[in-house]
Amino acid sequence: MTERVFLDYAATAPLLPQVRELLESNSVYKLGNPSTLYSEGRQARQALEQARSSLAGVVSCAAHDLYFCSGGTEAAGTLVEGIARGALEKSGKKTARMHIVCAAFEHPAVLQSVLSLKRLGYEISLLRSGKDGRIAPERLEAALRADTLMVVIMLAQNELGTVQDIACLTRLAHGVGAFFVCDCVQGLTKLPIVLTNLAVDAAFFSSHKIGGPFGIGAFYLRPSVPFLPRQLGGGQEQKLRSGTQNVPGALGFALAAELETARMQRGEQNRQGFLRDNLLKQLTQESSRIRATVSIARTNTSTHLPGHLHVLVQDIESQTMILKLDEMGFAVSGGAACSSNTLEPSHVLTSMGVSRDDAYGALRVSLGGSTSPDDCDRFATALLSLLEVSH
Ligand code: PLP
């Protein structure tokens, strides 16, 4: 039997073998509660702080500005709501900045959190991207107001793979005194993330997207930003996120971040970019029904994630393709993992002006460290043969 080919790293990257080994080791099993005073607890605290320092090294920020939580979704809600509530409390509602700008293509974890702030009286401006899947600085500039509290725009778009110029967008937000919150879930270890250069006020990351364990993530928050914690309790994580920390998870997350960063530094970006470019070429040359959703400048990681390909396929629905390809041994997605159970076209595609008909044929292929040239060739052959049959 031929091996299955996994091409949905943007949904979840398979656990790295070294991380699995660590999680199964005795040293992790023996850890106590990091808030306790005896030696098992102190060892756990030490391990937790080592994980924090190592992750802070990967994203270039101070370790004490990084907080562990359960993942990207929790981090998004915690930051967006925490900053909005914190600012409201600080202002005593007299001089409240009551406006938020958010990219229309944000992940639902962010979008729903932002939209829920209407309840608190916030006015929300949703910013559409251009056909290139990127937010033009002029669009943000036009949306900013004197009372804009925060701007929320992600680093790398999870369906399209497009990368935003966050440093530039942050400068514009800061120009009117607004805070900048950045979802870095898809960018972590695929792009060099230097938080000090990006100058964002808050950012967040998720472990399972980079080959770390599920159920662990982290957020960065600049200390001067007003913030009210959402999860109250024992005051862990400097009172910003209560709850006993997932120490094995944090260790696995930090190890995955280090390993994947080292892999990137050894030229993995170029390798994946090359595979992705070849795959796109093969698909579009051999079928006129397939086109790239956004044009991709060859292996340019400042505008596009290296191993990420999003295409629109004519006259066939995403779900049909995904299920048929699954039967043929390939795991790919129609866009975001969490919306792949719905029959509605992706909000990301419709917000950038893709017609509903075209959006129904969306397919996302995301490569990772174990993807080989043969995997890509076999996938291309499978998709092309499927399209021949379906015509
Ligand atoms: N943000 C982006 C860009 C994502 O791709 C995801 C995962 O799909 C999330 C946030 C949510 O992260 P998690 O799965 O850790 O809750």
Side-chain angles (χ1 to χ4, degrees):
M1 211 177 87
T2 48
E3 260 188 53
R4 278 184 69 78
V5 175
F6 185 81
L7 294 172
D8 200 13
Y9 279 75
T12 284
L15 195 68
L16 294 170
Q18 298 95 320
V19 175
R20 183 179 170 165
E21 208 175 292
L22 170 78
L23 294 178
E24 289 172 353
S25 70
N26 267 343
S27 58
V28 170
Y29 278 125
K30 286 184 185 150
L31 294 172
N33 183 325
S35 300
T36 54
L37 291 176
Y38 43 81
S39 61
E40 290 86 344
R42 290 201 306 275
Q43 275 163 17
R45 163 64 59 188
Q46 203 184 7
L48 185 69
E49 295 317 320
Q50 264 167 13
R52 198 187 310 277
S53 296
S54 131
L55 198 59
V58 166
V59 297
S60 297
C61 71
H64 55 77
D65 295 340
L66 209 51
Y67 305 86
F68 285 113
C69 63
S70 69
T73 300
E74 185 198 322
T78 300
L79 287 173
V80 164
E81 199 183 309
I83 294 172
R85 287 188 184 276
L88 215 50
E89 189 185 71
K90 192 175 167 197
S91 73
K93 266 197 168 175
K94 279 188 209 99
T95 55
R97 287 172 168 256
M98 296 304 289
H99 177 234
I100 294 173
V101 179
C102 177
F105 62 30
E106 290 298 300
H107 187 276
V110 170
L111 207 50
Q112 295 308 320
S113 301
V114 169
L115 292 175
S116 77
L117 295 176
K118 283 186 190 168
R119 276 183 293 135
L120 297 181
Y122 281 96
E123 200 185 319
I124 318 291
S125 296
L126 290 183
L127 216 53
R128 286 162 182 269
S129 74
K131 292 263 184 227
D132 59 355
R134 303 184 79 218
I135 302 286
E138 309 80 64
R139 280 205 192 181
L140 173 59
E141 224 168 354
L144 288 170
R145 307 191 324 209
D147 69 339
T148 305
L149 171 71
M150 73 179 136
V151 173
V152 191
I153 302 175
M154 68 192 352
L155 173 61
Q157 213 295 319
N158 53 298
E159 295 186 29
L160 305 167
T162 48
V163 175
Q164 311 303 315
D165 186 349
I166 295 298
C168 165
L169 300 173
T170 304
R171 269 196 302 279
L172 293 175
H174 287 172
V176 298
F179 300 117
F180 199 99
V181 180
C182 187
D183 175 344
C184 293
V185 165
Q186 292 290 341
L188 183 62
T189 73
K190 294 170 196 123
L191 306 168
I193 297 179
V194 183
L195 287 176
T196 41
N197 288 354
L198 295 180
V200 296
D201 302 286
F204 57 96
F205 314 94
S206 174
S207 155
H208 74 96
K209 303 287 186 184
I210 62 162
F214 285 101
I216 179 88
F219 61 89
Y220 159 82
L221 183 65
R222 193 190 287 281
S224 54
V225 179
F227 180 82
L228 278 186
R230 198 161 71 150
Q231 191 158 305
L232 304 173
Q236 290 90 344
E237 297 298 288
Q238 301 178 65
K239 300 199 175 118
L240 262 55
R241 195 274 188 181
S242 282
T244 303
Q245 293 96 335
N246 174 357
V247 184
L251 288 170
F253 182 17
L255 178 60
E258 277 187 358
L259 290 168
E260 286 301 285
T261 301
R263 200 204 295 261
M264 180 178 73
Q265 285 162 353
R266 290 195 302 269
E268 179 64 10
Q269 282 180 324
N270 285 345
R271 192 190 74 89
Q272 284 185 27
F274 183 74
L275 290 182
R276 189 268 324 274
D277 289 347
N278 276 350
L279 177 60
L280 175 62
K281 201 161 133 200
Q282 199 175 347
L283 292 175
T284 49
Q285 273 180 356
E286 292 186 32
S287 172
S288 57
R289 289 167 64 190
I290 304 176
R291 68 179 161 93
T293 312
V294 291
S295 68
I296 301 173
R298 243 184 122 72
T299 59
N300 182 351
T301 52
S302 64
T303 57
H304 211 284
L305 286 176
H308 199 111
L309 177 62
H310 192 281
V311 292
L312 298 175
V313 186
Q314 262 174 14
D315 303 326
I316 185 165
E317 286 192 357
S318 301
Q319 290 197 333
T320 310
M321 285 188 280
I322 293 164
L323 294 176
K324 294 266 184 215
L325 286 163
D326 181 39
E327 278 171 21
M328 295 160 92
F330 300 89
V332 288
S333 119
C338 30
S339 59
S340 50
N341 281 332
T342 70
L343 283 171
E344 275 302 293
S346 140
H347 74 283
V348 173
L349 298 177
T350 48
S351 74
M352 63 186 269
V354 173
S355 72
R356 285 175 75 88
D357 271 359
D358 284 350
Y360 278 123
L363 202 63
R364 177 184 74 182
V365 183
S366 47
L367 321 181
S370 314
T371 311
S372 67
D374 185 52
D375 292 338
C376 294
D377 284 346
R378 281 173 51 207
F379 170 73
T381 308
L383 178 57
L384 292 165
S385 70
L386 171 64
L387 294 186
E388 245 168 57
V389 177
S390 79
H391 215 51

